[in-house]
Amino acid sequence: MSALRWGHGASGLRRALWPAGRPGPLAEEGALSGVWGRRRSSSANPCEQDRRKDWGHAELLEVLEARVRQLQAESVSEVTVKRVGMARRLPASGGFQPPGRAQMGPEDAATEVSGRWAQKLDKEKFAMEKRKQRLEVKLQVRAQQLACEHRLRVVPRLLDAQLASCLQRWEHGAPRSHWEEQLAQLLQEAPRKLSHEAGQAPQAESASVRRESQQQRLLAFFECCLLTGHLPLAHHVLVTFHSRFRQQRRLTLAMYNTVMLGWARKGSFKELVYVFFMVKDAGLTPDLLSYAAALQCMGRLDQDTNTIQRCLDQMARDGLKLQGLFTSMPLCQEEQAMVLRAVHKAQPAFSLPPRPRPPPQVNTSPLLREIYAKSGPVSYPKLHLPLQKLQSLFQQQLDVEMATTVAVESVEKARVLTKEVLQARNTLKQLRAEWVQALSLGLQELKASEARAARAGRCTIFPYLCVLTEEELAELLLQTLQVLPPQGESLLSLAQQLGLRVFNRHTVHRKQLSSQVRALQQRYHSYLHLLASDTPVETPHLPRQYWEALGAPEAPHEQPWPLPVLVQLGKKLAELLVGAVRMPGSVAAPQGPRTLIPVLYHVYSFRSFRQIGILKPHPAFTELLATAAERTLTFEAAEVPMLCPPLPWTSPHAGAFLLSPTKLMRSLEGTMQHQRLLDGCPPAELHGALDALTQLGNCAWRVNGRVLDLVLELFAAKGCPRLGVPAPPSEAPRPPEGRLPPGASPAHKAKVRRELARCLKVAREMHSLRSDALYRLSLAQHLRHRVFWLPHNMDFRGRTYPCPPHFNHLGSDLARALLEFAQGRPLGPHGLDWLKIHLVNLTGLKKHEPLQARLVFADEVMEDILDSADRPMTGRKWWMEVDEPWQALACCMEIARAVRAPDPAAYVSHFPVHQDGSCNGLQHYAALGRDSVGAASVNLLPSDLPQDVYSGVAAQVEVFRRQDAERGVRVAQVLEGFISRKVVKQTVMTVVYGVTRYGGRLQIEKRLRELSNFPQEFVWEASHYLVRQVFNSLQEMFSGTRAIQHWLTESARLIAHTGSAVEWVTPLGIPIIQPYHQDSKVLISGGIQSLTFSQSGDTSQKPNTLKQKNGFPPNFIHSLDSSHMMLTALHCYRGELSTHVLSVTHSGWEGAGGGSGPRRAAPLHGRPSPDGRKGLTFVSVHDCFWTHAADVEVMNQVCREQFVRLHSQPILHDLSRFLVKRFCSGTRSPKHSKNAWIGKLQDTLKSVPKTGAFDLEQVKHSTYFFS
């Protein structure tokens, strides 16, 4: 090759070459071809990229020089390399001089052209040397920075010059005693500037919300660092934030105290003094916890008396009481001992104050006075299980919760173990082993990355990654992968779930490591004496009272992590799962190359007109799971019913599960307003709610095995959607096959797209329903031969719900039919009649008939009832044609067993009988307004026949329609014959709960479209017309109701305009606040997708006026129906009854309230129940109350009495007084913009709607009030 050609080829080096790597040995001659090519993308940081580029250029120059020398030696041409060599010589100044033009003699004229490349090479080499020199300087600076980062900062940089000078004097060479002296002087120092709280200028609301969120994250970071043993890192981040003025403003005294407590536990006095310097520099005043940290550290180090005494003196000057260190500080027993040791050294006569007895707590609600009255003998029911059995069940539940997960065998039809199935299972087993290793390695790298960021002074998720081991986190991620649906799940939802699961497991692990489990075991075994059937108790107590009398107060509860932390932690884990979990491509395509493909893909999809990120499993992985058909489902421990009675609720933080954290009031993650209200509420005011929830949770359940067998038979076949058994995915509609023809019209293409979208939607819905049924039935099979319990909590309105989500009595008809009481009761004289009435109620065939007629009907169809019980799938199948088929079938089986028993009255029944309120929301409105017309429509008045408000509204709408039709209104004429109870029912039912005319129109439109013979071109116009007439009918029938609803709406609107969310207190004392605020956006950036989510549930945010005013009426009514339910539950549990009891016989309804020949039944007050106990089993589904058939008449009476007692209180006037005091009191600035709104609000609140003349006592005699 000629030198000329080689030179021309080398002239474009800068454009063609971008090598990477460190300098190494000279490349071989043939190696040049391996480095030519386009620039490659790099994941290195900019500094690293510059370094690689410069090293690469230097390496290239050395290669070129070697090539030139080689050409010279071979005398291929007359190339001069003198100038190239000169570039290596340094001038005296130490820098590089640009090489001059090569000197050429006459003999070199022929090679002038070929020497141009050498000049360019000289310039390039000079530039590279300069860049290399600059890079070396940068690398030295970066090395120094890295060295500093590895040395965590301990000494703070103080912003106050005087304090900084003082710290510098004491810090350099000060003996240890000087540090003690320094602390004493620091405590006497006045704050150098106003505290953050006092000195802050008013901020914009959005900035205030962001700052509060940042402070929550910082405090959680410091606390988690202490829990995971990273106290120096927490101190380092605290020092970093304190050293920067803008970041220092985010720090609070609680953060400084957290780090101080950490150093105090280690006995690190010098570091503790550093934190005290920062406290003073920030302008904060130490509080009781600050002094507790200082004294604890002194106690560990056995400090001198003088220093301790000066500390105590300063504490007294600050107005803090020494006794408070031992009574109000969240210190463990060992920490209190160290504080006491220090105090005794300075004050030997000091004695530990006796544990203060809580003042007598008396619930002030007049509705609960009888429940907590001490006068008279009281008896509470016991469980049917002996003590030894209950203790065994407790140990089983404790083992479940300590394991944090429960493995349940799936009821999905087992596949034949073919070679294909076995191979798929073996493949999954191998892949999971590889994935655990990959995830563990990825977690190590993630921890290292987050640790480096934390060492740079940032608040990261590093400590949260350390609360569980890498193996535990990997197992949790694989469990998440296992249950991911084929259509995927949004990244935001998945991240939040992952973060919450990590927190829950961390909480359980902390309790295991402490002494809480042993203390719980001892206390619970004592508590079981109250519940066990074979252990008498001298003095009867409510479960909460008995538990509180057994021992010390509960241990401090674990503060939940802020929502942004949960999402950020979950997002990092989800991204790790996406990146680390891969599978061979050959599993997806056996004929293709064996390459690794991701198991999860991150895609974007539109949901409700919003684009969201979704993590979706690869179809090959979904197919592999389907082929393997594994038989195990994994649930979190808190998702499964308990195997022993739940812990009694004793506070907003303690109750329900043994170890798993449970909220008393369920709410959106990240909202703190409900918890603040509950924490600030006097404990006695919550006793009614706590005891009612405990009573509901103490009901023991068992599975109805006969019904379960029938459901499993259908489930294993192809399901039966008509009976509520979802079909498998194989029955989903298939999308159109084949490709569209090239000449397809746009209309045809649109039709195909719509059909494809419909098929996909149906398939997703079928998969969701099938999965829900699979979980429910698998849990039912898992618990088939066990007794179990359903712990309860409540929502922000006070409505109660079981905590386990998949298997409970709040579900569908099928879910309810699978459950029955574990404790049976003999039917007694009227129990069989109530079973028959309940069956007829479930059929929906005699809704407008009296009870006597329903009994007669049950006897008439007895043959069908027995046939359904004996041959449910092969007989006449009468039960399949009713409204609630599965519950009806279960009731048929119970009746068949009872009537065939030798003595039906002695037959022990486990079947729950329901009594349902008659449009319960309107019942509360009618009682509030004493509205006689409305009361008659919803069965508050005694009557011979049940009143149906929906039929009444339909009849009133028909009157209006007929009048309009006579006037020639076209739509009224078209609607002739189409106005029915079904058309208006949903709208009437939801009007009381705040449905708007728009929502009501959509409901009616849906009903009209279901009518095959209605002219569809009039649907839109007819729905508009009907919703207007329905509202007019309700206004005429329930005038008092509409007035109260308007007053509540207007009050909420004005309250929201003053900048507050609506609050009230239920009649039982539960504080309520509506969680509707303007959204505050939170951004979690980086990774595969930036997540933006809304936080709309805190009092620092502006209220959402529309949601506040629309939500107040239905939420207030919900709080009343929950109060009624809780009162009924407590009085049923106590078992004290009045002398008037309703019962039903074949001759009619006994007791005032209609029917042929009403008579008085024998009084039940003081009469023991058939099994020798007082009280009865009671559970509810909101306004539907359940009990044994033998106790229905007792529950009915209690239900009516408590409704009357509830509404005998001045509820609306109490609400008005509370709202005026809460939102209209206090001083007002004459120029404040809110004054006008407050004035209007006060006038509105004092204008309580007037009430009618309805007599509430008549409710006690109404047969169909609850029936």
Side-chain angles (χ1 to χ4, degrees):
M1 183 176 77
S2 69
L4 181 61
R5 291 179 59 197
W6 189 89
H8 284 165
S11 63
L13 288 178
R14 281 190 300 173
R15 297 189 303 273
L17 182 62
W18 199 281
R22 299 181 181 274
L26 295 178
E28 297 180 2
E29 180 181 355
L32 282 175
S33 60
V35 296
W36 306 115
R38 299 177 59 187
R39 174 180 177 178
R40 299 187 179 185
S41 61
S42 173
S43 60
N45 56 49
C47 180
E48 180 72 15
Q49 290 178 358
D50 289 343
R51 185 162 57 92
R52 289 179 178 178
K53 182 173 69 174
D54 291 345
W55 282 123
H57 279 241
E59 183 179 358
L60 172 64
L61 291 174
E62 292 177 350
V63 171
L64 293 179
E65 290 177 5
R67 179 60 175 164
V68 171
R69 286 194 296 271
Q70 181 185 18
L71 292 175
Q72 273 189 321
E74 295 175 354
S75 300
V76 176
S77 67
E78 298 292 335
V79 179
T80 302
V81 294
K82 179 180 178 182
R83 296 299 180 188
V84 177
M86 286 177 60
R88 290 189 178 273
R89 293 197 296 268
L90 294 175
S93 62
F96 289 98
Q97 295 296 329
R101 183 178 179 86
Q103 299 295 323
M104 297 181 295
E107 66 277 15
D108 298 324
T111 60
E112 183 177 0
V113 177
S114 62
R116 292 176 182 172
W117 71 268
Q119 298 177 18
K120 293 182 179 180
L121 190 61
D122 288 343
K123 294 179 180 179
E124 183 73 13
K125 187 170 183 179
F126 172 75
M128 289 303 101
E129 292 288 352
K130 293 290 290 183
R131 295 194 64 178
K132 184 176 178 180
Q133 190 179 41
R134 290 195 298 268
L135 179 61
E136 289 174 349
V137 174
K138 289 181 180 180
L139 289 176
Q140 292 176 359
V141 173
R142 181 57 181 161
Q144 294 174 356
Q145 292 176 349
L146 289 173
C148 292
E149 288 178 8
H150 286 289
R151 293 195 306 270
L152 295 178
R153 296 178 64 180
V154 177
V155 183
R157 185 172 71 87
L158 304 181
L159 303 181
D160 183 88
Q162 185 176 348
L163 276 176
S165 175
C166 182
L167 173 63
Q168 189 173 11
R169 287 197 311 271
W170 288 104
E171 202 263 340
H172 288 293
R176 183 168 181 166
S177 60
H178 289 185
W179 284 104
E180 301 162 2
E181 182 75 15
Q182 181 62 31
L183 177 60
Q185 290 188 11
L186 272 175
L187 292 173
Q188 297 175 12
E189 286 278 350
R192 294 291 172 175
K193 54 178 178 278
L194 289 176
S195 66
H196 293 329
E197 290 76 7
Q200 287 293 324
Q203 292 182 322
E205 184 176 339
S206 58
S208 174
V209 171
R210 286 196 301 271
R211 182 180 170 196
E212 184 177 358
S213 176
Q214 292 168 348
Q215 289 174 339
Q216 291 174 358
R217 295 178 67 178
L218 268 173
L219 180 59
F221 172 83
F222 292 133
E223 291 174 343
C224 196
C225 280
L226 264 63
L227 291 175
T228 54
H230 295 94
L231 176 59
L233 182 62
H235 185 94
H236 169 76
V237 173
L238 182 70
V239 169
T240 303
F241 270 74
H242 183 87
S243 302
R244 302 165 184 167
F245 176 73
R246 295 180 64 87
Q247 291 186 346
Q248 185 191 112
R249 297 171 64 184
R250 303 178 192 171
L251 299 177
T252 63
L253 182 60
M255 300 176 197
Y256 293 106
N257 283 344
T258 299
V259 178
M260 271 196 286
L261 278 174
W263 290 125
R265 290 166 186 157
K266 289 180 174 292
S268 301
F269 195 78
K270 183 176 181 180
E271 287 80 1
L272 184 139
V273 173
Y274 283 142
V275 181
F276 262 104
F277 264 107
M278 290 188 282
V279 169
K280 291 294 183 177
D281 187 51
L284 299 171
T285 302
D287 63 0
L288 206 55
L289 192 57
S290 310
Y291 285 100
L295 291 170
Q296 180 188 162
C297 191
M298 294 177 188
R300 294 184 190 278
L301 299 177
D302 197 21
Q303 298 283 19
D304 66 281
T305 304
N306 185 43
T307 303
I308 298 174
Q309 186 59 52
R310 293 176 67 179
C311 180
L312 296 177
D313 293 342
Q314 184 61 38
M315 192 172 106
R317 283 193 291 269
D318 288 344
L320 302 175
K321 295 183 178 180
L322 182 57
Q323 290 80 4
L325 294 172
F326 305 96
T327 58
S328 58
M329 287 294 96
L331 303 177
C332 68
Q333 189 173 359
E334 189 267 345
E335 291 172 339
Q336 282 191 356
M338 290 298 104
V339 175
L340 185 61
R341 180 181 178 185
V343 174
H344 275 163
K345 191 165 187 180
Q347 300 180 8
F350 176 81
S351 60
L352 195 65
R355 184 175 298 278
R357 290 188 177 183
Q361 298 180 349
V362 180
N363 188 285
T364 58
S365 173
L367 297 171
L368 297 172
R369 193 171 294 126
E370 293 181 9
I371 295 295
Y372 302 114
K374 300 294 183 181
S375 59
V378 178
S379 175
Y380 296 109
K382 283 178 167 285
L383 296 174
H384 63 294
L385 300 172
L387 178 64
Q388 188 174 359
K389 177 64 175 177
L390 288 174
Q391 290 176 345
S392 172
L393 292 176
F394 164 77
Q395 191 59 49
Q396 294 177 36
Q397 178 65 26
L398 186 62
D399 293 342
V400 165
E401 294 195 41
M402 290 177 69
T404 68
T405 58
V406 182
V408 175
E409 186 175 354
S410 171
V411 298
E412 199 71 79
K413 185 178 180 180
R415 297 190 59 174
V416 179
L417 293 181
T418 63
K419 181 179 178 181
E420 181 185 17
V421 173
L422 294 175
Q423 183 179 0
R425 292 183 179 180
N426 186 51
T427 301
L428 273 176
K429 183 178 179 180
Q430 294 176 359
L431 286 175
R432 285 172 182 149
E434 296 174 4
W435 293 343
V436 168
Q437 295 180 0
L439 288 171
S440 298
L441 182 60
L443 284 166
Q444 293 174 9
E445 295 175 353
L446 180 60
K447 285 182 181 180
S449 173
E450 294 296 318
R452 286 194 297 270
R455 287 173 178 271
R458 296 200 294 271
C459 175
T460 70
I461 63 168
F462 170 69
Y464 306 101
L465 291 170
C466 299
V467 297
L468 299 179
T469 65
E470 291 155 8
E471 292 75 15
E472 289 170 332
L473 286 173
E475 190 66 29
L476 186 148
L477 290 174
L478 291 185
Q479 291 172 10
T480 302
L481 176 65
Q482 181 77 13
V483 299
L484 205 62
Q487 67 268 22
E489 189 168 354
S490 76
L491 178 58
L492 177 58
S493 173
L494 192 64
Q496 184 174 335
Q497 292 176 24
L498 281 172
L500 197 56
R501 288 183 178 180
V502 172
F503 170 75
N504 289 340
R505 296 194 182 189
H506 156 65
T507 303
V508 173
H509 287 181
R510 280 204 69 202
K511 292 179 180 178
Q512 293 180 36
L513 295 175
S514 67
S515 60
Q516 292 185 46
V517 173
R518 186 180 300 104
L520 172 67
Q521 189 168 8
Q522 296 173 355
R523 195 171 183 182
Y524 192 91
H525 282 185
S526 300
Y527 168 68
L528 288 176
H529 285 78
L530 177 73
L531 304 179
S533 60
D534 59 347
T535 52
V537 178
E538 292 183 5
T539 305
H541 287 87
L542 288 166
R544 173 191 53 80
Q545 295 172 336
Y546 195 82
W547 180 269
E548 290 174 343
L550 286 175
E554 307 291 339
H557 70 283
E558 188 79 20
Q559 284 290 347
W561 295 339
L563 181 59
V565 170
L566 293 175
V567 173
Q568 186 178 9
L569 174 62
K571 179 174 177 287
K572 289 285 187 182
L573 293 176
E575 290 170 350
L576 175 63
L577 189 63
V578 172
V581 176
R582 296 175 174 269
M583 62 187 293
S586 59
V587 176
Q591 305 301 326
R594 291 189 60 84
T595 57
L596 293 179
I597 61 173
V599 173
L600 284 178
Y601 285 89
H602 178 250
V603 297
Y604 287 94
S605 177
F606 283 93
R607 299 272 177 90
S608 302
F609 305 101
R610 289 188 305 155
Q611 189 181 33
I612 63 173
I614 293 176
L615 290 188
K616 190 174 182 179
H618 194 285
F621 177 68
T622 304
E623 184 179 352
L624 181 63
L625 285 178
T627 304
E630 294 177 311
R631 303 281 296 160
T632 302
L633 301 174
T634 302
F635 295 92
E636 295 292 310
E639 296 176 345
V640 180
M642 293 185 67
L643 303 179
C644 69
L647 296 181
W649 282 104
T650 56
S651 74
H653 309 285
F657 291 96
L658 303 180
L659 301 177
S660 304
T662 311
K663 294 180 179 179
L664 172 67
M665 186 172 284
R666 54 176 63 190
S667 59
L668 293 175
E669 288 299 327
T671 58
M672 299 297 295
Q673 52 188 350
H674 306 298
Q675 199 62 48
R676 291 193 190 109
L677 275 182
L678 293 173
D679 290 340
C681 180
E685 299 303 311
L686 295 177
H687 284 173
L690 298 176
D691 291 335
L693 289 169
T694 300
Q695 189 268 330
L696 294 173
N698 276 347
C699 174
W701 298 88
R702 73 179 189 183
V703 173
N704 189 326
R706 290 188 64 192
V707 173
L708 177 61
D709 288 335
L710 295 172
V711 176
L712 291 177
E713 182 182 334
L714 290 176
F715 187 82
K718 292 189 177 181
C720 183
R722 184 170 67 90
L723 294 176
V725 183
S730 59
E731 300 301 306
R734 298 297 177 187
E737 296 183 359
R739 305 175 71 100
L740 283 172
S745 65
H748 180 60
K749 292 179 180 178
K751 180 181 178 182
V752 171
R753 283 196 297 268
R754 285 194 300 270
E755 179 62 18
L756 178 61
R758 185 192 71 83
C759 292
L760 291 175
K761 181 174 180 291
V762 172
R764 289 193 187 104
E765 291 172 350
M766 289 180 63
H767 179 272
S768 177
L769 292 172
R770 183 77 176 184
S771 298
D772 181 61
L774 175 64
Y775 295 160
R776 178 179 295 114
L777 296 177
S778 298
L779 285 172
Q781 180 72 2
H782 177 71
L783 298 168
R784 175 191 281 268
H785 301 297
R786 296 171 178 256
V787 178
F788 55 90
W789 286 261
L790 299 172
H792 281 60
N793 62 1
M794 59 185 176
D795 66 9
F796 75 93
R797 302 163 298 187
R799 287 196 129 190
T800 60
Y801 300 85
C803 298
H806 303 298
F807 187 47
N808 58 58
H809 60 293
L810 252 68
S812 61
D813 166 58
L814 172 59
R816 298 183 186 191
L818 291 172
L819 290 169
E820 58 185 15
F821 296 135
Q823 192 166 359
R825 298 290 305 276
L827 284 178
H830 305 302
L832 182 57
D833 291 340
W834 281 113
L835 281 176
K836 294 176 181 178
I837 291 173
H838 179 57
L839 173 61
V840 177
N841 290 344
L842 291 170
T843 66
L845 298 175
K846 297 293 178 180
K847 294 179 179 178
H848 307 305
E849 300 293 331
L851 296 182
Q852 175 61 31
R854 300 181 199 183
L855 270 177
V856 171
F857 175 75
D859 291 332
E860 291 174 353
V861 297
M862 184 58 67
E863 189 175 340
D864 289 327
I865 294 173
L866 297 178
D867 176 75
S868 297
D870 297 336
R871 299 181 300 158
M873 295 300 179
T874 58
R876 294 193 289 268
K877 303 179 183 179
W878 172 81
W879 64 278
M880 292 187 182
E881 308 302 324
V882 302
D883 286 355
E884 308 286 351
W886 288 109
Q887 292 179 82
L889 175 61
C891 194
C892 288
M893 294 176 176
E894 190 75 1
I895 291 174
R897 287 191 290 265
V899 298
R900 290 166 177 167
D903 180 11
Y907 171 74
V908 177
S909 173
H910 296 260
F911 192 83
V913 174
H914 312 168
Q915 294 288 280
D916 204 348
S918 177
C919 199
N920 191 240
L922 284 174
Q923 287 179 328
H924 283 285
Y925 268 123
L928 283 173
R930 305 295 194 272
D931 184 353
S932 298
V933 177
S937 301
V938 291
N939 294 299
L940 295 187
L941 282 174
S943 63
D944 294 337
L945 295 174
Q947 302 300 305
D948 181 28
V949 65
Y950 310 116
S951 299
V953 173
Q956 184 63 52
V957 171
E958 175 61 22
V959 170
F960 292 152
R961 185 208 64 80
R962 194 179 301 114
Q963 294 172 355
D964 290 340
E966 292 173 356
R967 289 196 295 267
V969 177
R970 174 61 177 160
V971 67
Q973 295 171 348
V974 170
L975 281 166
E976 184 176 0
F978 292 104
I979 297 177
S980 65
R981 179 183 188 274
K982 183 178 181 180
V983 170
V984 303
K985 178 181 177 180
Q986 187 180 11
T987 305
V988 174
M989 186 188 306
T990 53
V991 158
V992 67
Y993 297 125
V995 73
T996 61
R997 289 179 183 258
Y998 175 78
R1001 190 200 69 76
L1002 293 178
Q1003 294 168 346
I1004 292 175
E1005 177 184 342
K1006 187 176 181 180
R1007 300 286 83 82
L1008 291 177
R1009 292 194 183 279
E1010 293 173 354
L1011 302 176
S1012 57
N1013 55 344
F1014 184 79
Q1016 296 299 303
E1017 63 272 17
F1018 286 95
V1019 165
W1020 192 86
E1021 186 179 1
S1023 61
H1024 268 283
Y1025 174 82
L1026 282 181
V1027 74
R1028 187 169 64 253
Q1029 299 303 345
V1030 167
F1031 273 72
N1032 291 339
S1033 300
L1034 288 171
Q1035 179 67 44
E1036 189 161 315
M1037 295 174 63
F1038 297 90
S1039 57
T1041 295
R1042 301 300 290 175
I1044 294 172
Q1045 202 170 25
H1046 174 74
W1047 180 72
L1048 294 173
T1049 302
E1050 183 64 13
S1051 299
R1053 185 184 71 86
L1054 295 172
I1055 290 172
H1057 274 300
T1058 65
S1060 301
V1062 180
E1063 297 179 36
W1064 71 97
V1065 177
T1066 72
L1068 292 192
I1070 306 172
I1072 307 294
I1073 184 171
Q1074 294 195 139
Y1076 311 131
H1077 296 82
Q1078 299 289 353
D1079 289 346
S1080 173
K1081 300 296 183 182
V1082 178
L1083 175 65
I1084 307 294
S1085 58
I1088 58 177
Q1089 175 195 339
S1090 293
L1091 291 178
T1092 303
F1093 58 94
S1094 300
Q1095 278 189 295
S1096 59
D1098 224 333
T1099 51
S1100 59
Q1101 298 166 233
K1102 185 177 179 181
N1104 185 317
T1105 303
L1106 183 62
K1107 289 185 177 181
Q1108 289 285 345
K1109 76 180 186 68
N1110 288 341
F1112 187 30
N1115 290 335
F1116 181 71
I1117 295 301
H1118 279 314
S1119 70
L1120 292 183
D1121 72 45
S1122 73
S1123 297
H1124 176 224
M1125 185 278 297
M1126 289 181 178
L1127 284 171
T1128 304
L1130 291 171
H1131 282 270
C1132 285
Y1133 191 71
R1134 187 179 176 91
E1136 292 187 343
L1137 311 172
S1138 73
T1139 58
H1140 182 66
V1141 179
L1142 300 173
S1143 63
V1144 61
T1145 67
H1146 285 281
S1147 60
W1149 182 264
E1150 294 187 351
S1156 58
R1159 300 190 304 275
R1160 291 280 181 178
L1164 287 184
H1165 180 63
R1167 186 187 74 186
S1169 55
D1171 62 356
R1173 65 172 186 142
K1174 295 181 70 175
L1176 52 103
T1177 299
F1178 175 91
V1179 292
S1180 77
V1181 182
H1182 304 318
D1183 61 346
C1184 180
F1185 297 168
W1186 297 18
T1187 191
H1188 288 95
D1191 296 328
V1192 172
E1193 54 201 50
V1194 178
M1195 185 187 70
N1196 272 334
Q1197 183 61 22
V1198 175
C1199 167
R1200 286 157 175 77
E1201 288 181 349
Q1202 296 312 311
F1203 185 87
V1204 172
R1205 292 186 67 233
L1206 172 65
H1207 283 282
S1208 296
Q1209 305 298 314
I1211 294 176
L1212 293 181
H1213 285 86
D1214 287 347
L1215 175 66
S1216 173
R1217 283 191 290 270
F1218 174 84
L1219 295 178
V1220 168
K1221 181 179 178 180
R1222 174 67 180 81
F1223 298 107
C1224 301
S1225 60
T1227 58
R1228 306 184 199 173
S1229 172
K1231 296 184 179 180
H1232 203 288
S1233 59
K1234 293 196 302 184
N1235 283 347
W1237 292 110
I1238 293 177
K1240 292 179 182 179
L1241 173 61
Q1242 190 163 4
D1243 294 340
T1244 301
L1245 292 177
K1246 291 183 177 180
S1247 303
V1248 180
K1250 296 181 179 179
T1251 57
F1254 171 64
D1255 181 11
L1256 280 174
E1257 288 295 320
Q1258 297 187 71
V1259 175
K1260 294 181 180 179
H1261 312 295
S1262 173
T1263 301
Y1264 303 104
F1265 166 65
F1266 267 62
S1267 65

